[in-house]
Every structure is written in structure tokens, then in C-alpha cells.
Amino acid sequence: MKTIVLGGDGFCGWPTSLHLSKNGHEVIIVDNLSRRNIDNELEAGSLTPIAPMGQRLAAWKEVTGKEIAFRNIDVAQDYAALLELLQTEKPDAVVHFAEQRAAPYSMKSSWHKRYTVDNNVNATNNLLAAIVESGQDIHLVHLGTMGVYGYGTAGMKIPEGYLDVEVTTDEGERVQQKILYPTNPGSIYHMTKTLDQLLFAYYAKNDDMRITDLHQGIVWGTNTPETKLDERLINRFDYDGDYGTVLNRFLMQAAVDHPLTVHGTGGQTRAFIHITDTVKCVELALANPPQRGDKVKILNQMTETHRVRDLAELIARLSGAEVAYVTNPRREDAENDLHVRNDLFLDLGLEPTTLEAGLLSEVTDVARRYRDRADLSKVPARSTWTRAQKPGVPDQVRKAEPV
Ligand SMILES: NC(=O)c1ccc[n+]([C@@H]2O[C@H](COP(=O)([O-])OP(=O)(O)OC[C@H]3O[C@@H](n4cnc5c(N)ncnc54)[C@H](O)[C@@H]3O)[C@@H](O)[C@H]2O)c1
């Protein structure tokens, strides 16, 4: 199968590209390296020493004999190059990771909000329009987020994308329907993913496109069997206040004896998945496409849920680190329960890597090994969700604006 991986230089895209290449896919990576430029902007880099793309691909060829091609294209801006690539390469599938993916980064300023919306929504719409214009029957697999659902329900488990509803017509007839689960995004980033969802629904209906949307939980861990083959293949590990996702941030903090910073009460419950399972899920999704004319196939790509303070306490027990409760920069419920269905991937044969089994090796193998590269000044989250939460905002403004 020929597969183009958009965003293939990123945290999820790189190990996915290697895994697909190892398992026989002909892989072409497309990336505009914007994530590496954001490292420059934030003056915060990956904890692990990631090699430039040319070295990564040369190392993969040296170690496995397999070739992966690379094209530097901005998918959100350079529609012509994207279309030309689809027309010449004629891929069977495109995996779409190429979006700005950090909620705190998307909330930093009006510039960052506008960049995230422009980049993410244009990238998705350009890809959809280009597949239609190419006239090919290409399966699109997109990485979405569990955050499109919000983090509360009426008490039932969050279903996989669709909600069964019953409405009563004016004539009193009761009609059953399946609708997209109502979205409830918690940041501009999450909002772009809800807009992606509508674009997918529209193109699947109008153009009979085959689309799989993976609503992924927070990814933890660093390496997969393929990225461990050679240090030049190592995956990125973000720990800074904008890009470091909660569990990886705790792991790194534990490794450098920094208190584990829990936002608010730590009562937020979130869904998680290990990076090794992410790459397996994408492979499973590619092998099980929807049919033309089907509605978008939505799968919840997560394996377990945890309350943030329980995670902090677990890592504190394993590592001896302290836990520090700090002001929550986000606007969200202090406490929530989360119950999620993930039967579709389990039915396809996914055997989850559990937190219990993987945590300790992650702390020792990666976080401790590269601890000297950490810049601790980058650890605190400085992005706030509302103007009233920003340091230095006068009290009268703080009172007038809800937080
Ligand atoms: N990391 C997580 O915990 C997580 C959780 C849920 C969903 N996801 C989703 O998975 C996808 C990948 O996430 P990640 O953690 O690998 O992010 P990442 O930032 O590490 O990787 C994204 C890659 O896409 C590239 N990119 C961005 N905009 C582009 C554009 N316009 N043209 C070409 N390339 C572009 C970046 O340079 C980067 O290499 C994202 O869409 C994200 O929303 C990630």
C-alpha cells in the first residue's frame, strides 16, 4: 500500500511512518517543519535529541534497507504542490497529522488563535478538496482528538462519534436518528478539530469520500520498537508548558527532581494512549477502511482514563517526586468523570500498553537519560485561557471577566 503521511516529522507522525514502512507500506512523508520552527519561537526543544529529517531517513535506510521519501510542503498554504503530489504519486491512503496540536499554544495570543485556525482548517480542507480534484479513491485517515466531545456526558459512556437520538415530529411520530456527537471544545485548538469533523461529514456525504477520523486521547511515552533501533531515529519528547502533554510533563519533572505541577485540584479526568498503540491503531485503521458512500468512520483511539492527580500521585510514588498544586491556567471544570467506549479498536485486535506496565521504563530509559538537556524555566504553563487570568491584568478587569 502506498501511504502519504502528512505531518510525518512530528511526535505521532514520525513513529507512524517508521512502523508503516517496516510493515510493507511505501511511505512518503510530507511536512513543512513548522513544529521545529515553533521550538525556535518558544526557545524550548525536545528533551530527546531529534535528528534533522535527512539524517533520520538516512539512518532508517542504513538500519532497515527501507526508503522513505520526504517532501517539504505547507499543506495549509501550498494547494498546488499537494494536488500535484497526489496526482503523481497516486497513493492508496493519506494519514493526516499536519496540524498545530497544542491547546496552550493555540491560546497564547490572538496571533496564535488565528494561526491555529488558518493552519488546521485550511490543511484539512485543502487535503479534502485535492483528493476530490485528483479524481482518485484515496482513503483519508485523520488524527482528531477526544477533546471534541468535551469532558462530560449525561451519565453514559462517550460513544464513538455518533449519538442515537429520538425526536418527536409535529404529528407526534417518534423518529430515531444517528447524529454527530455534539461538540464541546475547550480551546481554539480543540475547536479546529470540531470544524474538521464537519468538513469530513460534508465531503463524505457530497463526494462519497472514504474517511476515518480517529478521536485520540493524550499520547504518552516516547519510543516505539522502530524509533529505538538507532539514536538518530529517536522520537521527540515535549516537556514545556505549551507542548508537553500532562503525563510526559510529569515523567520529565520526576526525572529532574522537579515537583509534579498539577493544575488546580487535578480532578480533571482524561483519556490516554501509549505512542506504540497510536502507531498500531493507525495501521489498523488503514487496513479497515470504510466503503464509498459510508459516513465518516469514527473510532475513539484511547486505552485508559485517569484523573490527573491520581497520575501525579502514582508517578510520585514510583519516583519519590513531590506533587505541587498550582493555579489552573485553563478555563475548565475543576473535576469531571470520563467514561469512553473504545470497542471498535479492541474488536480489531488492539492489545493496549497499560500505564502500569510502561511507566517505570519510560521514566528511567528516556526522561532520566536526557535530563541534562532540560531547561526547567520552560516547564511552567504560561498560556492562559482568558484575558482576566493573565498576570498583570488590573483587578477591575479580572472581576468583570469570567474565569
Ligand atoms: N500528541 C498528542 O497527545 C495528541 C493527542 C490527540 C490528537 N493528536 C493529534 O495528532 C496529530 C499529530 O500530533 P503530534 O503530537 O504528532 O503533533 P506534532 O506537532 O509533533 O506534529 C505535527 C506535525 O505536522 C507538521 N505540520 C503542521 N502544520 C503543517 C502544515 N500546514 N503543512 C505541513 N506540515 C505541517 C508539523 O511540522 C509537525 O511535524 C495532530 O493533529 C494532533 O491534533 C495528538
Side-chain angles (χ1 to χ4, degrees), residues 307-340:
R307 210 173 275 282
V308 169
R309 65 171 167 263
D310 296 342
L311 283 179
E313 276 157 24
L314 174 65
I315 295 168
R317 266 202 312 280
L318 289 173
S319 64
E322 281 173 33
V323 179
Y325 289 87
V326 300
T327 309
N328 190 353
R330 301 186 181 215
R331 188 172 182 196
E332 63 186 4
D333 289 340
E335 307 267 328
N336 73 288
D337 288 322
L338 185 65
H339 304 288
V340 183

Side-chain angles (χ1 to χ4, degrees), residues 360-375:
L360 204 56
S361 69
E362 207 68 38
V363 182
T364 45
D365 293 356
V366 178
R368 288 223 173 102
R369 181 150 175 227
Y370 296 106
R371 56 190 278 171
D372 292 344
R373 289 172 48 87
D375 175 353

Side-chain angles (χ1 to χ4, degrees), residues 57-352:
L57 298 180
W60 182 243
K61 184 158 184 219
E62 204 180 297
V63 172
T64 65
K66 292 180 185 292
E67 284 198 52
I68 295 179
F70 171 61
R71 293 282 302 275
N72 185 332
I73 297 174
D74 185 330
V75 179
Q77 300 299 328
D78 197 348
Y79 177 79
L82 177 64
L83 176 62
E84 193 257 343
L85 182 73
L86 298 181
Q87 284 168 334
T88 45
E89 295 295 344
K90 302 194 177 0
D92 301 289
V94 176
V95 186
H96 174 27
F97 292 102
E99 295 182 81
Q100 191 299 101
R101 69 100 172 134
Y105 184 84
S106 77
M107 303 301 287
K108 281 183 101 60
S109 71
S110 50
W111 186 89
H112 294 88
K113 290 176 186 175
R114 291 171 51 244
Y115 165 71
T116 302
V117 172
D118 286 351
N119 188 64
N120 294 4
V121 180
N122 275 335
T124 299
N125 190 45
N126 279 353
L127 174 60
L128 288 160
I131 292 176
V132 173
E133 191 174 345
S134 76
Q136 296 161 46
D137 179 21
I138 298 169
H139 176 207
L140 192 171
V141 176
H142 171 252
L143 270 289
T145 162
M146 287 293 303
V148 296
Y149 300 123
Y151 292 107
T153 65
M156 83 297 186
K157 282 188 172 178
I158 293 181
E160 307 214 45
Y162 298 96
L163 181 67
D164 292 318
V165 295
E166 185 179 279
V167 290
T168 308
T169 65
D170 287 352
E171 289 73 38
E173 192 191 348
R174 289 159 69 167
V175 180
Q176 269 89 36
Q177 289 207 338
K178 209 178 249 309
I179 60 167
L180 270 178
Y181 191 89
T183 58
N184 186 11
S187 71
I188 289 286
Y189 154 70
H190 291 101
M191 203 257 310
T192 64
K193 294 289 188 178
T194 73
L195 297 174
D196 283 349
Q197 253 205 153
L198 289 178
L199 289 167
F200 295 138
Y202 175 75
Y203 279 89
K205 181 185 73 167
N206 193 64
D207 299 284
D208 292 333
M209 274 192 57
R210 296 184 297 130
I211 302 171
T212 301
D213 197 6
L214 304 174
H215 287 185
Q216 182 167 244
I218 299 170
V219 183
W220 68 279
T222 318
N223 282 312
T224 59
E226 293 80 33
T227 65
K228 280 184 197 155
L229 289 173
D230 186 296
E231 201 180 22
R232 289 166 295 169
L233 300 174
I234 201 165
N235 199 16
R236 62 177 302 132
F237 183 117
D238 295 309
Y239 66 91
D240 63 284
D242 283 319
Y243 273 88
T245 50
V246 60
L247 186 47
N248 276 7
R249 213 162 17 90
F250 287 163
L251 292 171
M252 175 274 183
Q253 289 173 331
V256 298
D257 302 321
H258 187 285
L260 312 181
T261 46
V262 173
H263 293 165
T265 63
Q268 311 90 331
T269 308
R270 296 289 181 266
F272 293 89
I273 182 165
H274 191 270
I275 186 71
T276 305
D277 292 342
T278 288
V279 306
K280 286 186 198 152
C281 285
V282 173
E283 188 185 19
L284 285 168
L286 287 166
N288 295 276
Q291 303 294 312
R292 269 182 95 78
D294 285 356
K295 57 183 184 341
V296 178
K297 188 169 180 178
I298 301 177
L299 295 91
N300 290 341
Q301 186 163 307
M302 50 71 67
T303 55
E304 40 192 327
T305 59
H306 293 278
R307 210 173 275 282
V308 169
R309 65 171 167 263
D310 296 342
L311 283 179
E313 276 157 24
L314 174 65
I315 295 168
R317 266 202 312 280
L318 289 173
S319 64
E322 281 173 33
V323 179
Y325 289 87
V326 300
T327 309
N328 190 353
R330 301 186 181 215
R331 188 172 182 196
E332 63 186 4
D333 289 340
E335 307 267 328
N336 73 288
D337 288 322
L338 185 65
H339 304 288
V340 183
R341 298 202 81 95
N342 64 343
D343 311 277
L344 294 176
F345 269 125
L346 297 179
D347 291 348
L348 290 175
L350 178 71
E351 288 172 19

Side-chain angles (χ1 to χ4, degrees), residues 378-394:
K378 298 296 175 187
V379 173
R382 301 199 194 282
S383 201
T384 56
W385 256 232
T386 63
R387 208 164 82 82
Q389 288 167 295
K390 284 196 195 311
V393 171

